Amino acid sequence: MHSLSKYKKQLIAGGIGLLILVSILIKSQEIHIVDKTRSLMRSSTKSYGTRTLDQINKIIVHHSGSIGQRAEDYARYHVLSKGWPGIAYTFVIEKEGTIIQGNFLETISNNTSGQNTSSISICLSGNFTQEEPTLEQLKSLKKLIVYLRKTLPQHLQVAGHRDYGTTSCPGTNLYKHLKQFQLA
């Protein structure tokens, strides 16, 4: 009788351990997006067009090409220097892995010539011709791509900006990671 009681305790302890492990795994897959769609700098006279979500068929990954800048800096540059209505990116992933939403999914922003209506743009902060993306950025990129593929029912291919023009963006050190997101 004593050994049966010990066996039950081991089963219970194992079950509790398994529940804790599953809880940790689920928690690690959760995504947290900081919505800055209304707080980043915008033009007072211009606005981006809109689209329906079924027009989107791809995710295009960019790098900022700069070191030490953040979403607020890109928005300011795009509005003040480029004369655009707002930040060019739908999402920005900062060095520490924070995901910033800069535009609504329905917004057609200036990110990749000829592809703006059909793409969601994700920019990782950094110059990935000179440095490597952080592990936190790559984890957040993966979570964001999984989230977008679950949110939109259509197939979303992942590409780098360079796949649609003459540019080194998103830099060789980020571009090499994009193949893991390709769908068959």
Side-chain angles (χ1 to χ4, degrees):
M1 186 81 170
H2 178 61
S3 63
L4 183 57
S5 175
K6 184 179 176 184
Y7 179 71
K8 285 182 181 179
K9 288 179 182 177
Q10 288 174 337
L11 279 176
I12 291 170
I16 291 171
L18 184 59
L19 284 174
I20 291 170
L21 178 62
V22 168
S23 174
I24 290 169
L25 288 173
I26 289 171
K27 186 77 171 162
S28 72
Q29 296 304 310
E30 289 179 4
I31 187 166
H32 177 71
I33 298 172
V34 178
D35 183 354
K36 292 194 177 182
T37 54
R38 297 189 196 319
S39 63
L40 291 173
M41 179 179 271
R42 302 265 176 210
S43 169
S44 60
T45 59
K46 298 177 184 174
S47 61
Y48 284 127
T50 59
R51 62 187 169 197
T52 58
L53 295 182
D54 63 341
Q55 292 178 275
I56 301 167
N57 61 21
K58 68 182 78 64
I59 296 167
I60 300 179
V61 179
H62 302 258
H63 72 155
S64 64
S66 60
I67 297 174
Q69 294 186 323
R70 302 179 68 79
E72 290 78 7
D73 301 308
Y74 316 140
R76 190 171 30 262
Y77 173 73
H78 292 160
V79 172
L80 298 178
S81 296
K82 296 279 196 177
W84 294 344
I87 191 167
Y89 311 115
T90 313
F91 297 96
V92 174
I93 301 177
E94 305 289 11
K95 287 288 193 183
E96 73 283 354
T98 302
I99 301 170
I100 306 293
Q101 185 164 0
N103 284 301
F104 298 108
L105 293 178
E106 295 86 0
T107 300
I108 303 170
S109 61
N110 297 338
N111 69 84
T112 306
S113 182
Q115 303 301 316
N116 294 330
T117 300
S118 62
S119 67
I120 294 170
S121 57
I122 302 173
C123 176
L124 279 70
S125 291
N127 184 336
F128 303 119
T129 58
Q130 299 175 8
E131 60 183 328
E132 291 287 333
T134 67
L135 182 58
E136 292 83 4
Q137 284 179 301
L138 293 174
K139 285 180 182 178
S140 291
L141 178 61
K142 181 177 183 176
K143 285 181 183 182
L144 183 54
I145 290 170
V146 167
Y147 167 79
L148 291 169
R149 284 178 169 161
K150 285 181 180 177
T151 301
L152 300 174
Q154 64 270 31
H155 172 82
L156 295 175
Q157 190 61 37
V158 175
H161 184 187
R162 70 168 63 170
D163 294 321
Y164 296 100
T166 307
T167 177
S168 62
C169 180
T172 304
N173 294 326
L174 175 55
Y175 189 78
K176 68 185 178 189
H177 293 280
L178 298 185
K179 64 180 172 273
Q180 69 180 296
F181 303 112
Q182 300 310 315
L183 296 175

